Amino acid sequence: MATSDVHVRLCEQEILKYDLEIKALIQDITECNGPQSKLTEINTDVKKHFHNLRLRIQDFERMAMEQDRESDKQALLSQVEGHRKQMLSNQTAWRKANLASKLSMDKMEKQTLLNGADGDVRKRKMTKEGLAQSASDITENLMSISRMMAQQVQQSEDSITTLATSSRTIQETNEEFKAMTGTIQLGRKLITKYNRRELTDKLLIFLALALFFATVLYILKKRLFPFL
């Protein structure tokens, strides 16, 4: 049957989808209590959905007119008429929702103004005792701030003292390092001197041994070979 055509069913599904989305947006408008920018944003979405819905209904009507059998055509045209009536009903509900939302926002704005006026009256009726208590609280706050500042000053002084002590300790340590450096350098010089002395002693021992062996050889020569 032509009514089971895939394109027809897809078009009808899109019409139903737009119809449900429009109803949801209308409910959002009904519950909207402001601000005006939010209401305007929702109405913009509703207009877009109505435009798309109108186009899909026109497509559905065109598909109905293209049906071969008269019975299928009339059945689809009947559905088109039902979708258009539903769209008109949604438009009416849309206008009512906007009216209700604007009335609600106006009521809330008036209530805000009245609450502000009542607040001003209550402020003007503040008693002298209240003013005195406020002055007392301010004085106490100032004294508390003063104590906190004194504590901060004392902490700063303690920090400066600690830094000065640390600086002296570092300076004394530096002096000790300098003294140790001098001692190490002196030790290095002594070690170098002792190394040189050791080298001189070895050289003298070598020369003494050489002289000793030369003397021994000379004596042996005279005893063994006197004719030479």
Side-chain angles (χ1 to χ4, degrees), residues 75-90:
L76 292 178
L77 288 175
S78 177
Q79 293 183 34
V80 169
E81 186 64 23
H83 290 316
R84 281 180 173 158
K85 288 181 179 180
Q86 185 61 48
M87 184 176 66
L88 291 174
S89 176
N90 287 336

Side-chain angles (χ1 to χ4, degrees), residues 28-44:
D28 291 340
I29 291 173
T30 303
E31 298 173 355
C32 181
N33 294 323
Q36 182 63 39
S37 58
K38 181 179 179 181
L39 180 61
T40 302
E41 181 180 354
I42 298 174
N43 278 312
T44 301

